[in-house]
């Protein structure tokens, strides 16, 4: 049976799309059972509906507390066949912190993508913060989610060189392109049961050390991206 996934979005949902595309292409043996958003206008919901995936808006402002909102999300996710141990919850631009109760419902089953090389530049504006800081290597990280923002064990990261004078938006776009490679790759490993977590360390079994790009799209990803997940330039 394809690995059941729930995806939480708050915005455009381009990372959701990258995962759906890799499922369609046969590179990930998983099924997105439901897409949830705290923002009814999130384009990610439209992307799901276009593929006949249940897309549910749950405006957090309509709930008396974070605990109530999170409890309803857990209920909806479970009702769509995504449960602890047998499926996972993917955060794809979901702009809300999750409560300890939510995380306890899916132990080691919640994954996030962040547009910076963690632990540098956690928070809402990771790519822009890195650009403003003047780092020479920026990038993105996929990690398991724990109770601290952008903090849990790292599954895969990709680094990109920054360019002098480059607008933060242009850097963010180059990083996003790699997000669309490393997030589907991490989900494929998860669906294949190849990720083991020991403390802060994640081992992805059978992976290569690193893969790198070229002048058209310079990057270094570790562990190595597998065929089917390499960026197209
Ligand atoms: C991405 O940059 C992701 O890393 C961050 O939020 C953004 C979401 O983009 N967490 P999208 O909604 O997937 O297009």
């Amino acid at each position: 049976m394809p690995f059941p996934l729930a995806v939480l979005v708050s915005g455009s949902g381009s990372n959701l799309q990258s995962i759906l595309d890799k499922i369609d292409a046969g590179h990930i043996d998983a099924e997105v059972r439901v897409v949830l958003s705290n923002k009814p206008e999130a384009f990610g919901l439209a992307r799901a509906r276009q593929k006949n995936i249940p897309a549910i808006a749950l405006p957090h402002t309509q709930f008396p507390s974070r605990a109530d909102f999170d409890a309803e999300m857990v209920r909806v996710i479970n009702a769509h066949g995504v449960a602890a141990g047998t499926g996972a919850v993917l955060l794809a631009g979901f702009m809300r912190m999750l409560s300890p109760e939510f995380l306890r419902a899916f132990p080691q089953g919640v994954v996030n993508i962040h547009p910076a090389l963690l632990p540098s530049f956690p928070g809402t504006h990771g790519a822009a913060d890195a650009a403003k800081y003047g780092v020479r290597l920026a990038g993105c990280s996929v990690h398991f989610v724990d109770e601290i923002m952008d903090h849990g064990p790292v599954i895969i990261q990709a680094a990109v060189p920054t360019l002098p004078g480059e607008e933060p938006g242009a850097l963010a776009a180059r990083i996003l392109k790699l997000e669309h490679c490393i997030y589907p790759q991490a989900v494929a490993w998860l669906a294949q049961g190849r990720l083991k977590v020991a403390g802060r360390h994640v081992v992805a079994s059978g992976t290569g050390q690193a893969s790198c790009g070229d002048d058209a799209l310079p990057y270094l990803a570790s562990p190595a991206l597998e065929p089917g997940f390499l960026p197209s330039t």
Side-chain angles (χ1 to χ4, degrees), residues 11-16 92-95 112-115 176 179-180:
S12 154
S14 69
N15 278 288
L16 162 68
F94 185 65
M95 305 306 277
N112 183 42
I113 176 94
H114 181 71
L176 189 62
E179 292 183 41
H180 296 161

Side-chain angles (χ1 to χ4, degrees), residues 2-192:
F3 190 71
L5 297 170
V7 184
L8 311 189
V9 299
S10 296
S12 154
S14 69
N15 278 288
L16 162 68
Q17 189 69 55
S18 71
I19 290 161
L20 292 172
D21 291 347
K22 294 297 179 190
I23 291 173
D24 284 352
H27 297 308
I28 305 176
D29 186 16
E31 181 185 6
V32 177
R33 297 282 187 87
V34 62
V35 173
L36 284 173
S37 180
N38 62 319
K39 301 270 186 198
E41 70 281 9
F43 187 60
L45 290 173
R47 293 182 194 268
R49 288 191 188 112
Q50 212 168 24
K51 300 198 68 78
N52 294 318
I53 295 167
I56 299 173
L58 284 179
H60 60 277
T61 48
Q62 290 178 9
F63 291 81
S65 68
R66 185 181 297 275
D68 288 298
F69 173 67
D70 282 12
E72 178 61 5
M73 284 204 298
V74 171
R75 192 193 66 72
V76 171
I77 291 167
N78 286 161
H80 284 84
V82 180
T86 56
V89 178
L90 308 179
L91 312 186
F94 185 65
M95 305 306 277
R96 302 250 328 146
M97 281 295 289
L98 294 169
S99 61
E101 291 76 18
F102 185 100
L103 296 175
R104 271 200 290 277
F106 305 100
Q108 282 181 9
V110 184
V111 177
N112 183 42
I113 176 94
H114 181 71
L117 290 174
L118 293 173
S120 294
F121 310 111
T124 313
H125 306 292
D129 290 345
K132 281 185 211 142
Y133 188 92
V135 294
R136 296 309 312 254
L137 287 171
C140 45
S141 310
V142 179
H143 64 95
F144 285 106
V145 174
D146 66 12
E147 292 179 20
I148 302 170
M149 189 194 296
D150 300 327
H151 174 268
V154 172
I155 299 168
I156 182 170
Q157 293 182 304
V160 296
T162 59
L163 305 173
E166 187 179 29
E167 288 297 320
L171 174 62
R174 284 197 295 131
I175 292 172
L176 189 62
K177 194 161 187 174
L178 285 167
E179 292 183 41
H180 296 161
C181 302
I182 68 168
Y183 208 2
Q185 174 68 86
V187 174
W189 290 333
L190 192 65
Q192 292 165 347

